[in-house]
Tab-separated table of all heavy atoms in Angstrom:
chain	number	residue	atom	x	y	z
A	176	GLY	N	110.491	77.311	110.037
A	176	GLY	CA	109.921	76.360	110.969
A	176	GLY	C	110.679	76.211	112.266
A	176	GLY	O	110.271	75.439	113.140
A	177	SER	N	111.769	76.949	112.448
A	177	SER	CA	112.548	76.829	113.678
A	177	SER	C	111.968	77.657	114.816
A	177	SER	O	112.353	77.474	115.982
A	177	SER	CB	113.994	77.258	113.436
A	177	SER	OG	114.066	78.630	113.059
A	178	ILE	N	111.058	78.561	114.502
A	178	ILE	CA	110.417	79.428	115.488
A	178	ILE	C	108.902	79.248	115.384
A	178	ILE	O	108.358	79.084	114.283
A	178	ILE	CB	110.778	80.909	115.264
A	178	ILE	CG1	112.302	81.100	115.272
A	178	ILE	CG2	110.118	81.792	116.309
A	178	ILE	CD1	112.960	80.795	116.605
A	179	ALA	N	108.226	79.278	116.526
A	179	ALA	CA	106.777	79.045	116.527
A	179	ALA	C	106.042	80.061	117.387
A	179	ALA	O	106.589	80.586	118.368
A	179	ALA	CB	106.475	77.636	117.033
A	180	ILE	N	104.811	80.322	117.013
A	180	ILE	CA	103.881	81.075	117.856
A	180	ILE	C	103.152	80.052	118.716
A	180	ILE	O	102.485	79.148	118.201
A	180	ILE	CB	102.882	81.879	117.001
A	180	ILE	CG1	103.626	82.959	116.194
A	180	ILE	CG2	101.820	82.535	117.894
A	180	ILE	CD1	102.753	83.671	115.170
A	181	VAL	N	103.292	80.171	120.033
A	181	VAL	CA	102.706	79.173	120.939
A	181	VAL	C	101.577	79.734	121.789
A	181	VAL	O	100.866	78.987	122.458
A	181	VAL	CB	103.788	78.557	121.850
A	181	VAL	CG1	104.796	77.787	121.022
A	181	VAL	CG2	104.488	79.637	122.686
A	182	GLY	N	101.418	81.032	121.783
A	182	GLY	CA	100.322	81.682	122.491
A	182	GLY	C	99.726	82.743	121.608
A	182	GLY	O	100.453	83.517	120.988
A	183	ALA	N	98.398	82.760	121.514
A	183	ALA	CA	97.719	83.774	120.701
A	183	ALA	C	96.337	83.993	121.278
A	183	ALA	O	95.547	83.061	121.397
A	183	ALA	CB	97.623	83.323	119.248
A	184	ALA	N	96.056	85.222	121.661
A	184	ALA	CA	94.746	85.522	122.249
A	184	ALA	C	94.470	87.013	122.153
A	184	ALA	O	95.395	87.830	122.118
A	184	ALA	CB	94.695	85.072	123.705
A	185	GLU	N	93.200	87.338	122.129
A	185	GLU	CA	92.764	88.731	122.133
A	185	GLU	C	92.217	89.095	123.508
A	185	GLU	O	92.095	88.231	124.397
A	185	GLU	CB	91.696	88.931	121.056
A	185	GLU	CG	92.238	88.726	119.652
A	185	GLU	CD	91.165	88.736	118.579
A	185	GLU	OE1	89.951	88.763	118.931
A	185	GLU	OE2	91.529	88.702	117.399
A	186	SER	N	91.893	90.358	123.686
A	186	SER	CA	91.243	90.789	124.918
A	186	SER	C	89.892	90.096	125.047
A	186	SER	O	89.336	89.594	124.061
A	186	SER	CB	91.080	92.312	124.924
A	186	SER	OG	90.439	92.763	123.746
A	187	ASP	N	89.367	90.042	126.260
A	187	ASP	CA	88.103	89.332	126.501
A	187	ASP	C	87.001	89.820	125.570
A	187	ASP	O	86.202	89.023	125.072
A	187	ASP	CB	87.656	89.511	127.947
A	187	ASP	CG	88.587	88.824	128.934
A	187	ASP	OD1	89.401	87.973	128.506
A	187	ASP	OD2	88.509	89.147	130.140
A	188	ARG	N	86.976	91.128	125.353
A	188	ARG	CA	85.966	91.716	124.470
A	188	ARG	C	86.622	92.701	123.519
A	188	ARG	O	87.688	93.239	123.806
A	188	ARG	CB	84.870	92.418	125.282
A	188	ARG	CG	83.995	91.484	126.105
A	188	ARG	CD	82.879	92.253	126.809
A	188	ARG	NE	83.429	93.171	127.803
A	188	ARG	CZ	83.038	94.434	127.981
A	188	ARG	NH1	82.097	94.956	127.190
A	188	ARG	NH2	83.567	95.188	128.920
A	189	LEU	N	85.971	92.926	122.399
A	189	LEU	CA	86.364	93.945	121.438
A	189	LEU	C	85.158	94.851	121.209
A	189	LEU	O	84.017	94.422	121.359
A	189	LEU	CB	86.769	93.312	120.099
A	189	LEU	CG	87.889	92.269	120.109
A	189	LEU	CD1	87.984	91.598	118.744
A	189	LEU	CD2	89.219	92.908	120.479
A	190	GLY	N	85.406	96.086	120.844
A	190	GLY	CA	84.275	96.963	120.513
A	190	GLY	C	84.358	98.286	121.221
A	190	GLY	O	85.324	99.043	121.047
A	191	VAL	N	83.366	98.593	122.045
A	191	VAL	CA	83.318	99.850	122.788
A	191	VAL	C	83.525	99.517	124.258
A	191	VAL	O	82.644	98.963	124.914
A	191	VAL	CB	81.973	100.573	122.581
A	191	VAL	CG1	81.983	101.927	123.295
A	191	VAL	CG2	81.691	100.763	121.090
A	192	LEU	N	84.710	99.847	124.780
A	192	LEU	CA	85.103	99.438	126.131
A	192	LEU	C	85.613	100.641	126.927
A	192	LEU	O	86.810	100.724	127.251
A	192	LEU	CB	86.184	98.363	126.056
A	192	LEU	CG	85.886	97.152	125.153
A	192	LEU	CD1	87.119	96.276	125.013
A	192	LEU	CD2	84.713	96.362	125.719
A	193	PRO	N	84.747	101.585	127.263
A	193	PRO	CA	85.207	102.791	127.955
A	193	PRO	C	85.729	102.534	129.359
A	193	PRO	O	86.363	103.408	129.954
A	193	PRO	CB	83.954	103.673	127.981
A	193	PRO	CG	82.809	102.706	127.898
A	193	PRO	CD	83.291	101.601	127.024
A	194	GLU	N	85.472	101.339	129.893
A	194	GLU	CA	85.949	101.009	131.229
A	194	GLU	C	87.379	100.467	131.226
A	194	GLU	O	87.945	100.195	132.293
A	194	GLU	CB	85.016	99.978	131.882
A	194	GLU	CG	85.042	98.589	131.266
A	194	GLU	CD	84.184	98.429	130.011
A	194	GLU	OE1	83.790	99.447	129.414
A	194	GLU	OE2	83.915	97.275	129.637
A	195	HIS	N	87.962	100.305	130.051
A	195	HIS	CA	89.298	99.735	129.936
A	195	HIS	C	90.274	100.749	129.336
A	195	HIS	O	90.008	101.326	128.282
A	195	HIS	CB	89.292	98.499	129.036
A	195	HIS	CG	88.570	97.325	129.625
A	195	HIS	ND1	88.322	97.190	130.959
A	195	HIS	CD2	88.044	96.212	129.038
A	195	HIS	CE1	87.679	96.065	131.192
A	195	HIS	NE2	87.496	95.446	130.034
A	196	SER	N	91.421	100.887	129.978
A	196	SER	CA	92.484	101.721	129.417
A	196	SER	C	93.286	100.926	128.405
A	196	SER	O	93.175	99.691	128.320
A	196	SER	CB	93.412	102.211	130.528
A	196	SER	OG	94.153	101.115	131.057
A	197	ALA	N	94.128	101.600	127.664
A	197	ALA	CA	95.006	100.917	126.712
A	197	ALA	C	95.905	99.920	127.428
A	197	ALA	O	96.114	98.794	126.963
A	197	ALA	CB	95.842	101.946	125.944
A	198	LEU	N	96.454	100.296	128.585
A	198	LEU	CA	97.318	99.386	129.336
A	198	LEU	C	96.540	98.162	129.807
A	198	LEU	O	97.038	97.037	129.738
A	198	LEU	CB	97.948	100.110	130.526
A	198	LEU	CG	98.856	99.248	131.415
A	198	LEU	CD1	100.002	98.642	130.610
A	198	LEU	CD2	99.388	100.076	132.588
A	199	HIS	N	95.323	98.378	130.278
A	199	HIS	CA	94.487	97.252	130.708
A	199	HIS	C	94.313	96.248	129.563
A	199	HIS	O	94.419	95.028	129.772
A	199	HIS	CB	93.114	97.761	131.158
A	199	HIS	CG	92.164	96.685	131.585
A	199	HIS	ND1	91.750	96.531	132.894
A	199	HIS	CD2	91.544	95.698	130.886
A	199	HIS	CE1	90.934	95.502	132.975
A	199	HIS	NE2	90.780	94.986	131.769
A	200	LEU	N	94.067	96.739	128.368
A	200	LEU	CA	93.849	95.855	127.216
A	200	LEU	C	95.118	95.093	126.856
A	200	LEU	O	95.060	93.927	126.460
A	200	LEU	CB	93.338	96.683	126.034
A	200	LEU	CG	91.940	97.279	126.227
A	200	LEU	CD1	91.661	98.355	125.178
A	200	LEU	CD2	90.867	96.196	126.177
A	201	ASN	N	96.278	95.729	126.991
A	201	ASN	CA	97.554	95.029	126.790
A	201	ASN	C	97.710	93.894	127.797
A	201	ASN	O	98.056	92.761	127.443
A	201	ASN	CB	98.721	96.005	126.954
A	201	ASN	CG	99.089	96.741	125.692
A	201	ASN	OD1	99.884	96.275	124.877
A	201	ASN	ND2	98.513	97.915	125.511
A	202	LEU	N	97.452	94.190	129.062
A	202	LEU	CA	97.658	93.206	130.127
A	202	LEU	C	96.650	92.068	130.040
A	202	LEU	O	97.006	90.900	130.232
A	202	LEU	CB	97.568	93.894	131.489
A	202	LEU	CG	98.705	94.868	131.805
A	202	LEU	CD1	98.407	95.651	133.079
A	202	LEU	CD2	100.029	94.131	131.932
A	203	GLU	N	95.408	92.390	129.768
A	203	GLU	CA	94.390	91.348	129.637
A	203	GLU	C	94.728	90.405	128.493
A	203	GLU	O	94.625	89.174	128.623
A	203	GLU	CB	93.027	91.997	129.410
A	203	GLU	CG	91.857	91.035	129.367
A	203	GLU	CD	90.544	91.780	129.266
A	203	GLU	OE1	90.000	92.178	130.325
A	203	GLU	OE2	90.054	91.980	128.127
A	204	SER	N	95.158	90.959	127.382
A	204	SER	CA	95.545	90.141	126.227
A	204	SER	C	96.759	89.294	126.557
A	204	SER	O	96.841	88.119	126.168
A	204	SER	CB	95.829	91.044	125.026
A	204	SER	OG	94.705	91.838	124.696
A	205	ALA	N	97.725	89.881	127.262
A	205	ALA	CA	98.931	89.143	127.633
A	205	ALA	C	98.593	87.954	128.516
A	205	ALA	O	99.092	86.835	128.302
A	205	ALA	CB	99.905	90.072	128.356
A	206	ARG	N	97.754	88.153	129.510
A	206	ARG	CA	97.372	87.049	130.395
A	206	ARG	C	96.639	85.962	129.623
A	206	ARG	O	96.830	84.767	129.872
A	206	ARG	CB	96.510	87.589	131.540
A	206	ARG	CG	97.272	88.489	132.510
A	206	ARG	CD	96.474	88.773	133.766
A	206	ARG	NE	97.225	89.619	134.685
A	206	ARG	CZ	97.018	90.924	134.854
A	206	ARG	NH1	96.086	91.530	134.143
A	206	ARG	NH2	97.750	91.617	135.704
A	207	ASN	N	95.801	86.349	128.676
A	207	ASN	CA	95.081	85.361	127.880
A	207	ASN	C	96.033	84.554	127.000
A	207	ASN	O	95.866	83.347	126.814
A	207	ASN	CB	94.030	86.055	127.022
A	207	ASN	CG	92.859	86.580	127.839
A	207	ASN	OD1	92.672	86.198	128.989
A	207	ASN	ND2	92.085	87.480	127.250
A	208	ALA	N	97.044	85.222	126.443
A	208	ALA	CA	98.020	84.513	125.608
A	208	ALA	C	98.886	83.576	126.449
A	208	ALA	O	99.217	82.466	126.021
A	208	ALA	CB	98.897	85.515	124.857
A	209	LEU	N	99.260	84.009	127.654
A	209	LEU	CA	100.020	83.144	128.548
A	209	LEU	C	99.215	81.897	128.902
A	209	LEU	O	99.739	80.775	128.913
A	209	LEU	CB	100.405	83.903	129.819
A	209	LEU	CG	101.521	84.950	129.671
A	209	LEU	CD1	101.556	85.863	130.896
A	209	LEU	CD2	102.872	84.272	129.483
A	210	HIS	N	97.934	82.089	129.184
A	210	HIS	CA	97.067	80.954	129.487
A	210	HIS	C	96.963	80.017	128.288
A	210	HIS	O	97.005	78.786	128.445
A	210	HIS	CB	95.682	81.454	129.895
A	210	HIS	CG	94.708	80.356	130.155
A	210	HIS	ND1	94.720	79.584	131.295
A	210	HIS	CD2	93.676	79.870	129.393
A	210	HIS	CE1	93.755	78.677	131.243
A	210	HIS	NE2	93.105	78.829	130.110
A	211	ASP	N	96.857	80.583	127.096
A	211	ASP	CA	96.762	79.771	125.887
A	211	ASP	C	98.001	78.899	125.716
A	211	ASP	O	97.911	77.726	125.334
A	211	ASP	CB	96.579	80.683	124.669
A	211	ASP	CG	96.523	79.913	123.361
A	211	ASP	OD1	95.672	79.007	123.247
A	211	ASP	OD2	97.331	80.197	122.470
A	212	ALA	N	99.155	79.453	126.033
A	212	ALA	CA	100.406	78.720	125.868
A	212	ALA	C	100.730	77.810	127.047
A	212	ALA	O	101.610	76.944	126.934
A	212	ALA	CB	101.554	79.703	125.665
A	213	GLY	N	100.050	78.016	128.173
A	213	GLY	CA	100.380	77.251	129.365
A	213	GLY	C	101.663	77.722	130.011
A	213	GLY	O	102.395	76.934	130.623
A	214	LEU	N	101.938	79.013	129.892
A	214	LEU	CA	103.146	79.598	130.447
A	214	LEU	C	102.805	80.621	131.525
A	214	LEU	O	101.642	81.053	131.658
A	214	LEU	CB	103.963	80.280	129.341
A	214	LEU	CG	104.526	79.371	128.243
A	214	LEU	CD1	105.137	80.207	127.131
A	214	LEU	CD2	105.559	78.403	128.812
A	215	THR	N	103.809	81.016	132.292
A	215	THR	CA	103.664	82.063	133.295
A	215	THR	C	104.622	83.196	132.954
A	215	THR	O	105.540	83.018	132.139
A	215	THR	CB	103.996	81.528	134.696
A	215	THR	OG1	105.413	81.283	134.773
A	215	THR	CG2	103.237	80.241	134.992
A	216	PRO	N	104.462	84.361	133.580
A	216	PRO	CA	105.415	85.449	133.329
A	216	PRO	C	106.861	85.058	133.588
A	216	PRO	O	107.773	85.592	132.941
A	216	PRO	CB	104.942	86.539	134.299
A	216	PRO	CG	103.470	86.311	134.412
A	216	PRO	CD	103.316	84.810	134.401
A	217	ALA	N	107.084	84.107	134.485
A	217	ALA	CA	108.457	83.679	134.780
A	217	ALA	C	109.104	82.964	133.602
A	217	ALA	O	110.338	82.859	133.540
A	217	ALA	CB	108.459	82.765	136.003
A	218	ASP	N	108.288	82.480	132.675
A	218	ASP	CA	108.820	81.788	131.500
A	218	ASP	C	109.204	82.744	130.381
A	218	ASP	O	109.799	82.319	129.385
A	218	ASP	CB	107.764	80.811	130.955
A	218	ASP	CG	107.397	79.730	131.955
A	218	ASP	OD1	108.325	79.078	132.469
A	218	ASP	OD2	106.197	79.553	132.234
A	219	ILE	N	108.873	84.010	130.511
A	219	ILE	CA	109.087	85.002	129.458
A	219	ILE	C	110.320	85.842	129.772
A	219	ILE	O	110.498	86.297	130.903
A	219	ILE	CB	107.854	85.930	129.330
A	219	ILE	CG1	106.575	85.121	129.099
A	219	ILE	CG2	108.070	86.946	128.224
A	219	ILE	CD1	106.551	84.319	127.821
A	220	ASP	N	111.178	86.042	128.785
A	220	ASP	CA	112.339	86.909	128.995
A	220	ASP	C	112.481	87.981	127.920
A	220	ASP	O	113.475	88.698	127.869
A	220	ASP	CB	113.630	86.102	129.116
A	220	ASP	CG	113.902	85.214	127.903
A	220	ASP	OD1	113.125	85.285	126.924
A	220	ASP	OD2	114.886	84.456	127.939
A	221	GLY	N	111.474	88.100	127.066
A	221	GLY	CA	111.461	89.157	126.069
A	221	GLY	C	110.061	89.729	125.932
A	221	GLY	O	109.080	88.982	125.999
A	222	VAL	N	109.947	91.040	125.781
A	222	VAL	CA	108.647	91.694	125.630
A	222	VAL	C	108.738	92.711	124.501
A	222	VAL	O	109.720	93.450	124.389
A	222	VAL	CB	108.194	92.409	126.921
A	222	VAL	CG1	106.877	93.152	126.694
A	222	VAL	CG2	108.032	91.410	128.062
A	223	ALA	N	107.715	92.727	123.661
A	223	ALA	CA	107.644	93.699	122.573
A	223	ALA	C	106.263	94.331	122.536
A	223	ALA	O	105.253	93.654	122.749
A	223	ALA	CB	107.941	93.027	121.232
A	224	SER	N	106.227	95.603	122.297
A	224	SER	CA	104.981	96.338	122.093
A	224	SER	C	105.351	97.713	121.572
A	224	SER	O	106.535	98.038	121.435
A	224	SER	CB	104.174	96.440	123.393
A	224	SER	OG	102.851	96.893	123.141
A	225	THR	N	104.359	98.518	121.273
A	225	THR	CA	104.631	99.859	120.767
A	225	THR	C	104.706	100.857	121.918
A	225	THR	O	104.144	100.632	122.996
A	225	THR	CB	103.545	100.302	119.783
A	225	THR	OG1	102.265	100.157	120.403
A	225	THR	CG2	103.579	99.454	118.524
A	226	GLY	N	105.375	101.951	121.681
A	226	GLY	CA	105.450	103.016	122.670
A	226	GLY	C	106.046	102.554	123.984
A	226	GLY	O	107.030	101.813	124.033
A	227	PHE	N	105.413	102.972	125.090
A	227	PHE	CA	105.896	102.618	126.425
A	227	PHE	C	105.311	101.298	126.925
A	227	PHE	O	105.656	100.838	128.016
A	227	PHE	CB	105.544	103.728	127.420
A	227	PHE	CG	106.286	105.009	127.191
A	227	PHE	CD1	105.657	106.081	126.588
A	227	PHE	CD2	107.616	105.128	127.559
A	227	PHE	CE1	106.341	107.269	126.363
A	227	PHE	CE2	108.306	106.303	127.344
A	227	PHE	CZ	107.673	107.383	126.742
A	228	HIS	N	104.424	100.685	126.139
A	228	HIS	CA	103.698	99.525	126.646
A	228	HIS	C	104.600	98.341	126.964
A	228	HIS	O	104.300	97.559	127.871
A	228	HIS	CB	102.608	99.105	125.667
A	228	HIS	CG	101.463	100.075	125.597
A	228	HIS	ND1	100.855	100.587	126.719
A	228	HIS	CD2	100.813	100.621	124.530
A	228	HIS	CE1	99.880	101.413	126.355
A	228	HIS	NE2	99.840	101.456	125.034
A	229	ALA	N	105.694	98.154	126.243
A	229	ALA	CA	106.560	97.004	126.513
A	229	ALA	C	107.072	97.041	127.950
A	229	ALA	O	106.996	96.047	128.678
A	229	ALA	CB	107.720	96.972	125.521
A	230	GLY	N	107.583	98.173	128.363
A	230	GLY	CA	108.079	98.310	129.733
A	230	GLY	C	106.975	98.227	130.761
A	230	GLY	O	107.141	97.619	131.831
A	231	GLU	N	105.827	98.828	130.446
A	231	GLU	CA	104.696	98.800	131.381
A	231	GLU	C	104.167	97.386	131.568
A	231	GLU	O	103.857	96.967	132.688
A	231	GLU	CB	103.589	99.720	130.867
A	231	GLU	CG	103.936	101.190	130.906
A	231	GLU	CD	102.846	102.056	130.318
A	231	GLU	OE1	102.240	101.662	129.301
A	231	GLU	OE2	102.593	103.136	130.871
A	232	VAL	N	104.066	96.634	130.479
A	232	VAL	CA	103.579	95.255	130.553
A	232	VAL	C	104.552	94.392	131.339
A	232	VAL	O	104.156	93.600	132.209
A	232	VAL	CB	103.352	94.682	129.136
A	232	VAL	CG1	103.152	93.165	129.185
A	232	VAL	CG2	102.152	95.348	128.474
A	233	ALA	N	105.836	94.528	131.051
A	233	ALA	CA	106.843	93.750	131.766
A	233	ALA	C	106.788	94.031	133.260
A	233	ALA	O	106.837	93.110	134.091
A	233	ALA	CB	108.229	94.044	131.213
A	234	ASP	N	106.666	95.307	133.609
A	234	ASP	CA	106.626	95.684	135.020
A	234	ASP	C	105.363	95.167	135.695
A	234	ASP	O	105.417	94.601	136.796
A	234	ASP	CB	106.703	97.209	135.140
A	234	ASP	CG	106.651	97.676	136.579
A	234	ASP	OD1	107.560	97.301	137.354
A	234	ASP	OD2	105.709	98.402	136.939
A	235	ALA	N	104.225	95.322	135.050
A	235	ALA	CA	102.953	94.910	135.641
A	235	ALA	C	102.866	93.402	135.837
A	235	ALA	O	102.268	92.922	136.804
A	235	ALA	CB	101.794	95.392	134.779
A	236	LEU	N	103.477	92.635	134.926
A	236	LEU	CA	103.419	91.180	135.014
A	236	LEU	C	104.604	90.578	135.769
A	236	LEU	O	104.640	89.370	136.009
A	236	LEU	CB	103.358	90.572	133.605
A	236	LEU	CG	102.100	90.873	132.787
A	236	LEU	CD1	102.220	90.246	131.401
A	236	LEU	CD2	100.850	90.373	133.494
Side-chain angles (χ1 to χ4, degrees):
S177 63
I178 304 295
I180 295 172
V181 296
E185 295 172 353
S186 53
D187 293 344
R188 293 184 295 136
L189 303 171
V191 184
L192 309 172
E194 69 278 16
H195 291 340
S196 69
L198 179 58
H199 178 112
L200 293 166
N201 273 273
L202 292 171
E203 185 175 274
S204 302
R206 292 192 179 102
N207 289 344
L209 286 166
H210 177 76
D211 178 56
L214 296 172
T215 70
D218 298 308
I219 305 297
D220 57 4
V222 176
S224 193
T225 53
F227 292 103
H228 290 313
E231 292 177 321
V232 167
D234 179 61
L236 294 178

